[in-house]
Each structure stands twice: as structure tokens, then as C-alpha cells.
């Protein structure tokens, strides 16, 4: 009886068993790799969190620090928006990706392989929203968003988004860009136009009406934005991010990069931000700034704080969206910034530059906040060794199971992030454009102290803009600075002359244009080699031995750019470093290509080179 009773219902159970089996197979096939989210602010300096300023309400940053690992000495590879973001996207140090400045028309070359392309190829859903500064989003000053009505123009904000490696995207320009256009030219402006608020956005600069303070009036903004909270640019970016998270497929991991427009100037805030602060606050004034109007400083710093606090809360909303879909336990999240903000520091000792904005080798400009959470990340850990946000590129790839290209300058922080020891790599931050030509290196040296070397052509700039009437510095001069950041975090005592051994220990880490620091190479310490010769080769095995000689016609496949530093004639010398790799059959390069500008900038300025992958390569002395 017992056996018949057990087997009799089987015909009825078979459909249920089949459903269970199919569901089990589906679960087994689901990609178990973690998600990764990058929350990147624009122009948020490292010492503006609640850890340094208790009045600043960065609750989400503090919560993530309690649940994960905080890096107190994170630096940017380049203290300027476009180059810093290009380094993150490509894993290449400045200036190899070819983006030297914030010139919007210098777009990231299609020859550069991005981490987004690599992630997408590996099966990760790739998403981005906000200001990424990698390319223009359409014609720069031309026509408004057309929504496909005119085939000659891309959909609003879609230019090259798929080519860069994104599956979902809501890209927009930063806050300052609206002053250059008359019509909506990105999805954010288009959304404002649909609700009748685009003209309000264009007029926001009128909220910044103090004069006689600094030349960039985007800092002194006593007026309020007329936009509703949900229409403010950072709120719009966060809402778009939450939508992407909610709609991301559940059968594969996702990557999301959230690129806020703030707290970058103009420092215009909303009534909602004022209401949320709980009352007026007084902020510490800028370092070495006794001649800088104190009342104006308070306005600048209060609005800067409000913008930071708003983004901090928006980041909590994004974490909540990840938790709502049940993925927070398997998602890595890093909160950081592209670079810092001078905020008037050293006003009294800066006769040439106004110490606001960025583009400076000082810590306020190159140092950024960084905190990460995720599976295996130790809770409450604080890493006080220097790290670079450049290394987030390889970290994302390795933790999501994607392959890190061998030519990346980015070195994965996976082991460090999961509790390992710091390998004492130096961090480097460089700019080499206009009047801003410097490279800095930081590293833990003697006695466990963090030392920093800055070598600058002309002078070490203290900000982005020249003071009114100031003469540009002489670029034939050099300024050299050495600081013991452990003892002197405000960089007030230059020890370059008194501690030359520390400077010599750091010089080899500087970007090659600055490795000499304007001095002859010291024997046995950080040699300054002959400038590299830039050449181009096609990835064709039959021509692998033709070092420095171009084939008469390009073949299909990968085009690769190499630089040589020896006279080997077997082609091996050209495999020392890859500048760019991308599948571009029959693509010709010219001197105007952004990637080649980056290569030229990375080479010694006594040499110039032109490379044309359609048949010739020349390098000559000038």
C-alpha cells in the first residue's frame, strides 16, 4: 500500500517537477558576478567631509566608511575634469589618452579602449548617467535635441555612447555649459525645456552677482535656483541612475557610473538645500587668506557645503535603490571625486594665479575623498597610504571578472580593498597644458612619513585663472617643492633644498616630461633617459620585425601605437608600452588626432613626430 500511495500521484507531479527543474537551471545559469557602482562628484576636495568638518553633513559618506574602507590620501591622475575622467575610462595615465585639457572639442579618440567596452564584452550591463566629459554629445553650438527627426544629427545626447561601451546612458554636460548654447543640447536641458524650465536654468548665472571678489563669479552666488528640487541637475542625474538600477536585467551583473555635475561652480543652490541644513553655519576660512573677504568666503563655503550635502543624500537614495532590488550585498560601491577645489587657499601668497578652481599641484586640488563598500571589503578600515583614482579602472575590471589589458597604467586595488597591505606604489598627478605644467608624486618614505614632490615648469600654479593684470610665468623657469605631508599637511614648508635625498627618491615616479625637475640627472638616482621616439606599427605578424618602418598599405585588424626606448632592430623594443589599442580597420591618423597629441605631450618637447597609419612615420628633432 505504501509504495502504491507514493507512486500514484507522479503523473500529477511531473509538470511541477519539470517547472522546478527549469527554474533550477535558470538560477544556475544566472551570472553570479558582483555589480559595481561608481559615484563620482565633480570638484569635491578631500578634506570636505564630516571627518574633517563635523558641521558638514556627509552622512552617507560616513556610513559607507563605517561599513567599508576609507582612503584618506586618494589622488587624481590629473586635477582637471576631462583628463581625470579619460584616465578612469581608459586606464591610462595622463597624457597617454590624448585629453590634455577641458577643450570640449578634444574628444576621447576612438582608438582608446575603454573599461566600459571591456565590461560590456564580458557580459556586464554597462550604464552611465551625468557629466562624463569624454565626448561632445552632438554638435557643440548647433541644433537642439531632435529626437531622431533629423537623421544628420544623433538623438539627444547619444553621440558615441554605444561606441564608448554603454548599454544604457543619460549623458549630459556640466552646469557651466548651458551659458554657451541657445537651445537644449543634452537630455537634461531637453527635460527642462519640456517642463518650461530651460530658460530658468540659463538664467541661473544671474544668482551669482557679487563682483570685486574673484574673476570667476560662479563662486559668489547669494541668489537661489528657481528650479524644483527634482529638476536640479544633480537630482536629475540621481533619479536617472535609480531608474537604470530598477530596470537593469536580473540575469547579469551591472556596472553604473554616476557622474554628478556638482559641487563644481556655479555654486547656485536650491531652497530645498537651505531648508535641509537646519540653520546658518560658520566655516573655517581658507589657509593663508587674510586679505580675502571673510564674508564672501562664508557665502562660497556655505554653498559649496550645501551642494556636497545634497549629493551625499542623493548617493544614499542610489544605495537604497540597489537595496530595493536585493543587490546591495553583492554590489561594490565607491564614492569619490574627479579632483579637488582650491577654495581660496594661499590667496595671500599667490600673486599670479587666483587660488580657486583646480589645475594646481597642491593637495586641495589633487586630493579627493574615496570610500568603498562591497563583499569582502573590511568594515571601518582606514587606509592612510596614497592611492590613485586611476587604479579604480583595473579594480572594477578585476572584481567583476573582466580582463585587465596589459597596457593599462591602472593597477588594481583589489587586494588592498579586500584587506591586503598597500604595496607602497607612488601616486602621480600631472597636467601639461597652457600655463599649468607640473607633475607631483606622493609616497611613504623615511620613518613612515608621506612625502610629496612637485616639479613645475614656470611656477606651481595655485589655481586655474590668472589674477587680473598678472603677467604669465616664464616657462623656461622651474619651481620645485617638497613637502612632508605627515608633518605639514597644509604644504607650508618647502623642504626641497634641505632634504634633497627625498626629492631624488620621488623624481623617478614623476611623469617623464618632469622627471628631471629641471636639473641634471643624478648618478644612480632616477636616471633621466633620452626622450622616447614615437612610432606607429600595425599588428601584422608578418611585419613584426620591421621596427620603425610602416607597411605601404594598412591591413585590417588592430592598430597599435608603441613607443621605443632602445635601438633594437628586431621589433621587440616596440612592445615595451602600448599607447592605444582599438579595432579600427583602415583608420588613418594625423597630427590632429587627440591620441597623437597625448603621445607628443608624453614625449620630450625637443622632439616632435607625425604618424600616419596609412603609410608613413616620421620623427625629427626641432
Amino acid at each position: 500500500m505504501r509504495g502504491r500511495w507514493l507512486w500514484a500521484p507522479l503523473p500529477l507531479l511531473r509538470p511541477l517537477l519539470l517547472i522546478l527543474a527549469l527554474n533550477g537551471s535558470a538560477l544556475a545559469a544566472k551570472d553570479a558576478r558582483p555589480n559595481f557602482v561608481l559615484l563620482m562628484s565633480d570638484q569635491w576636495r578631500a578634506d570636505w567631509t564630516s571627518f574633517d568638518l563635523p558641521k558638514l553633513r556627509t552622512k552617507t559618506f560616513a556610513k559607507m566608511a563605517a561599513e567599508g574602507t576609507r582612503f584618506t590620501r586618494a589622488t587624481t591622475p590629473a586635477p582637471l575634469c576631462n583628463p581625470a575622467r579619460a584616465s578612469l575610462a581608459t586606464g591610462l595615465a595622463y597624457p597617454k589618452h590624448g585629453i590634455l585639457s577641458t577643450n570640449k572639442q578634444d574628444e576621447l579618440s576612438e582608438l582608446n579602449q575603454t573599461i566600459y567596452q571591456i565590461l560590456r564584452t564580458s557580459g556586464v550591463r554597462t550604464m552611465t548617467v551625468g557629466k562624463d566629459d569624454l565626448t561632445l554629445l552632438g554638435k557643440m553650438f548647433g541644433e537642439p535635441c531632435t529626437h531622431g527627426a533629423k537623421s544628420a544629427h544623433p538623438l539627444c545626447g547619444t553621440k558615441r555612447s554605444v561606441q564608448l561601451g554603454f548599454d544604457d546612458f543619460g549623458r549630459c554636460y556640466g552646469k557651466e555649459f548651458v551659458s554657451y548654447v541657445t537651445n537644449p543640447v543634452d537630455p537634461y536641458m531637453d527635460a527642462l525645456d519640456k517642463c518650461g524650465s530651460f530658460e530658468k536654468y540659463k538664467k541661473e548665472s544671474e544668482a551669482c552677482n557679487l563682483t570685486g571678489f574673484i574673476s570667476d563669479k560662479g563662486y559668489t552666488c547669494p541668489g537661489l535656483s528657481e528650479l524644483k528640487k527634482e529638476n536640479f541637475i544633480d537630482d536629475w542625474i540621481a533619479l536617472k541612475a535609480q531608474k537604470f538600477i530598477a530596470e537593469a536585467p536580473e540575469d547579469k551583473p551591472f556596472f553604473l557610473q554616476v557622474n554628478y555635475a556638482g559641487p563644481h561652480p556655479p555654486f547656485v543652490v536650491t531652497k530645498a538645500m537651505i531648508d535641509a541644513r537646519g540653520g546658518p553655519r560658520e566655516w573655517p576660512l581658507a589657509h593663508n587668506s587674510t586679505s580675502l573677504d571673510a564674508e564672501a568666503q562664508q557665502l562660497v563655503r556655505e554653498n559649496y557645503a550645501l551642494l556636497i550635502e545634497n549629493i551625499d543624500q542623493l548617493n544614499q537614495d542610489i544605495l537604497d535603490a540597489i537595496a530595493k532590488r536585493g543587490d546591495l550585498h553583492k554590489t561594490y560601491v565607491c564614492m569619490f571625486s574627479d579632483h579637488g577645489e582650491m577654495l581660496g587657499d594661499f590667496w595671500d601668497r599667490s600673486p599670479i594665479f587666483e587660488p580657486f578652481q583646480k589645475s594646481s599641484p597642491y593637495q586641495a586640488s589633487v586630493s579627493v575623498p574615496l570610500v568603498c563598500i562591497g563583499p569582502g571589503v573590511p568594515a571601518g578600515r582606514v587606509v592612510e597610504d596614497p592611492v590613485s583614482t586611476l587604479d579604480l579602472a583595473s579594480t572594477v575590471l578585476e572584481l567583476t571578472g573582466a580582463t585587465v589589458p596589459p597596457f593599462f597604467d591602472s593597477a588594481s586595488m583589489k587586494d588592498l580593498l579586500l584587506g591586503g597591505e598597500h604595496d607602497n606604489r607612488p601616486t602621480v598627478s600631472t597636467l601639461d597644458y597652457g600655463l599649468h605644467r607640473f607633475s607631483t608624486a606622493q609616497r611613504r618614505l623615511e620613518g613612515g612619513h608621506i612625502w610629496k614632490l612637485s616639479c613645475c615648469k614656470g611656477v606651481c600654479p595655485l589655481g586655474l585663472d590668472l589674477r587680473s593684470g598678472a603677467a604669465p610665468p616664464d616657462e623656461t623657469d622651474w619651481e620645485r617643492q617638497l613637502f612632508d605631508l605627515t608633518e605639514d599637511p597644509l604644504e607650508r614648508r618647502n623642504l626641497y633644498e634641505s632634504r634633497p635625498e627625498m626629492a631624488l627618491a620621488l623624481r623617478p615616479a614623476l611623469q617623464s616630461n618632469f622627471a628631471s625637475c629641471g636639473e641634471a640627472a643624478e648618478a644612480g638616482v632616477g636616471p633621466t633617459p633620452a626622450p622616447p621616439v614615437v612610432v606607429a606599427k600595425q599588428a601584422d605578424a608578418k611585419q613584426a620585425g620591421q621596427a620603425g618602418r610602416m607597411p605601404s598599405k594598412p591591413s585590417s585588424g588592430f592598430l597599435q601605437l608603441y613607443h621605443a626606448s632602445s635601438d633594437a632592430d628586431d621589433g621587440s623594443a616596440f612592445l615595451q608600452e602600448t599607447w592605444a589599442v582599438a579595432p579600427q580597420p583602415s583608420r588613418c591618423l594625423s597630427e590632429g588626432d587627440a591620441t597623437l597629441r597625448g603621445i607628443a605631450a608624453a614625449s620630450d618637447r625637443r622632439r616632435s613626430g607625425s604618424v600616419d597609419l596609412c603609410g608613413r612615420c616620421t620623427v625629427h628633432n626641432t
Side-chain angles (χ1 to χ4, degrees):
M1 285 290 295
R2 183 174 299 172
R4 287 195 299 272
W5 184 86
L6 286 172
W7 285 101
L10 275 180
L12 299 176
L13 293 175
R14 284 190 183 111
L16 177 60
L17 293 173
L18 178 61
I19 292 172
L20 291 173
L22 291 174
N23 285 342
S25 299
L27 289 173
K30 184 176 180 179
D31 197 326
R33 290 180 294 167
N35 309 310
F36 214 116
V37 176
L38 297 178
L39 303 172
M40 180 163 55
S41 297
D42 188 346
Q43 214 150 307
W44 180 21
R45 58 187 274 173
D47 56 357
W48 273 68
T49 73
S50 55
F51 289 96
D52 294 284
L53 297 169
K55 293 179 182 179
L56 189 63
R57 297 174 297 111
T58 53
K59 297 179 181 179
T60 308
F61 187 86
K63 180 182 177 183
M64 288 180 61
E67 298 174 354
T69 295
R70 179 168 63 100
F71 300 86
T72 62
R73 297 187 185 277
T75 60
T76 177
L80 195 60
C81 302
N82 301 39
R85 294 160 188 266
S87 284
L88 176 63
T90 64
L92 300 178
Y94 182 98
K96 295 179 184 177
H97 43 61
I99 305 301
L100 308 186
S101 69
T102 53
N103 186 341
K104 297 292 185 186
Q105 297 185 34
D106 289 345
E107 301 176 284
L108 189 68
S109 171
E110 293 183 19
L111 286 175
N112 283 301
Q113 187 177 24
T114 70
I115 62 170
Y116 321 119
Q117 294 167 346
I118 297 170
L119 288 167
R120 186 174 61 187
T121 300
S122 75
V124 175
R125 185 76 176 182
T126 53
M127 306 178 291
T128 190
V129 61
K131 174 199 173 188
D132 59 52
D133 282 333
L134 298 179
T135 69
L136 288 170
L137 304 181
K139 294 187 69 175
M140 185 166 182
F141 303 115
E143 305 194 14
C145 298
T146 61
H147 306 287
K150 300 178 181 179
S151 59
H153 300 283
L155 294 175
C156 185
T158 65
K159 180 183 177 184
R160 285 189 53 197
S161 297
V162 174
Q163 182 275 325
L164 287 168
F166 298 116
D167 293 308
D168 298 311
F169 41 87
R171 303 167 66 205
C172 65
Y173 294 112
K175 293 183 285 185
E176 73 286 357
F177 195 81
V178 69
S179 62
Y180 300 109
V181 302
T182 56
N183 299 300
V185 292
D186 68 21
Y188 171 63
M189 297 183 205
D190 189 51
L192 291 180
D193 195 40
K194 288 179 178 178
C195 66
S197 297
F198 176 65
E199 291 302 319
K200 293 180 182 178
Y201 183 47
K202 280 187 64 64
K203 293 178 181 178
E204 283 202 337
S205 61
E206 296 177 5
C208 308
N209 56 15
L210 287 186
T211 58
F213 175 41
I214 58 173
S215 61
D216 188 340
K217 70 175 185 178
Y219 283 83
T220 50
C221 308
L224 296 177
S225 170
E226 296 181 17
L227 298 175
K228 295 180 180 179
K229 174 175 171 54
E230 63 270 20
N231 291 336
F232 191 75
I233 187 166
D234 290 326
D235 293 75
W236 179 87
I237 288 169
L239 288 170
K240 196 84 169 176
Q242 294 169 60
K243 183 175 184 293
F244 283 166
I245 291 169
E247 297 176 353
E250 296 185 359
D251 60 345
K252 62 194 307 186
F254 68 80
F255 167 85
L256 171 64
Q257 185 166 315
V258 183
N259 311 280
Y260 291 107
H264 189 289
F267 289 174
V268 180
V269 300
T270 64
K271 184 178 183 300
M273 296 179 201
I274 297 288
D275 294 341
R277 73 179 176 182
R281 297 168 288 190
E282 185 170 344
W283 300 99
L285 300 179
H287 309 306
N288 299 101
S289 64
T290 58
S291 59
L292 191 57
D293 184 84
E295 183 178 354
Q297 282 198 60
Q298 289 298 327
L299 172 64
V300 169
R301 289 169 173 252
E302 176 63 19
N303 284 4
Y304 186 62
L306 291 172
L307 291 167
I308 291 171
E309 290 170 342
N310 185 55
I311 291 172
D312 185 81
Q313 179 56 53
L314 295 174
N315 282 334
Q316 182 59 56
D317 295 342
I318 290 173
L319 293 177
D320 292 343
I322 300 171
K324 185 176 181 180
R325 62 177 277 143
D327 279 357
L328 194 55
H329 69 287
K330 63 174 185 177
T331 302
Y332 291 99
V333 183
C334 292
M335 187 192 307
F336 64 108
S337 181
D338 57 352
H339 53 75
E341 159 66 59
M342 290 302 293
L343 277 184
D345 285 352
F346 305 108
W347 182 270
D348 294 343
R349 49 177 272 196
S350 180
I352 298 178
F353 289 91
E354 285 188 338
F356 281 88
Q357 292 273 2
K358 54 270 185 170
S359 297
S360 170
Y362 287 85
Q363 287 297 94
S365 174
V366 303
S367 188
V368 298
L370 174 61
V371 64
C372 297
I373 60 173
V377 178
R381 186 187 184 198
V382 178
V383 175
E384 296 182 344
D385 292 274
V387 298
S388 175
T389 55
L390 167 67
D391 294 336
L392 288 174
S394 291
T395 305
V396 168
L397 295 180
E398 188 170 7
L399 284 172
T400 54
T403 301
V404 179
F407 57 84
F408 266 28
D409 298 305
S410 173
S412 174
M413 296 192 298
K414 175 186 175 182
D415 292 341
L416 179 62
L417 190 59
L418 299 183
E421 295 299 315
H422 191 273
D423 60 7
N424 203 27
R425 286 197 314 272
T427 62
V428 180
S429 189
T430 305
L431 280 182
D432 197 358
Y433 81 100
L435 300 176
H436 302 81
R437 303 189 183 279
F438 59 82
S439 187
T440 76
Q442 300 183 34
R443 192 175 191 177
R444 189 179 295 278
L445 293 173
E446 180 184 281
H449 286 207
I450 307 297
W451 288 81
K452 174 185 174 182
L453 174 66
S454 298
C455 291
C456 313
K457 295 180 180 179
V459 298
C460 292
L462 279 157
L464 180 65
D465 301 316
L466 287 175
R467 284 185 183 269
S468 178
D474 183 353
E475 286 193 63
T476 63
D477 293 334
W478 283 76
E479 184 175 359
R480 308 167 187 91
Q481 297 181 342
L482 178 72
F483 300 107
D484 178 351
L485 294 180
T486 303
E487 294 291 335
D488 180 24
L490 299 182
E491 300 171 288
R492 290 173 171 169
R493 297 184 298 276
N494 184 0
L495 304 178
Y496 188 84
E497 297 297 333
S498 61
R499 298 299 303 271
E501 76 281 7
M502 293 300 179
L504 289 173
L506 287 168
R507 266 173 47 181
L510 298 175
Q511 198 273 334
S512 59
N513 282 350
F514 302 88
S516 71
C517 229
E519 298 180 335
E522 299 289 339
V525 183
T528 305
V533 177
V534 179
V535 301
K537 281 190 59 180
Q538 287 187 276
D540 188 332
K542 295 180 180 179
Q543 298 160 340
Q546 298 180 359
R549 183 164 59 86
M550 294 297 299
S552 58
K553 293 182 180 180
S555 60
S556 62
F558 283 82
L559 300 180
Q560 297 178 318
L561 297 174
Y562 300 89
H563 81 89
S565 57
S566 74
D567 296 327
D569 58 5
D570 61 356
S572 60
F574 296 100
L575 300 179
Q576 293 189 7
E577 184 170 357
T578 306
W579 292 87
V581 180
Q584 293 291 328
S586 70
R587 161 88 187 251
C588 297
L589 295 182
S590 66
E591 289 182 340
D593 188 277
T595 300
L596 294 186
R597 285 196 299 275
I599 294 173
S603 304
D604 190 280
R605 291 183 182 277
R606 289 174 298 169
R607 290 177 179 261
S608 64
S610 61
V611 183
D612 183 338
L613 288 177
C614 288
R616 66 183 183 276
C617 171
T618 62
V619 178
H620 56 274
N621 290 322
T622 57

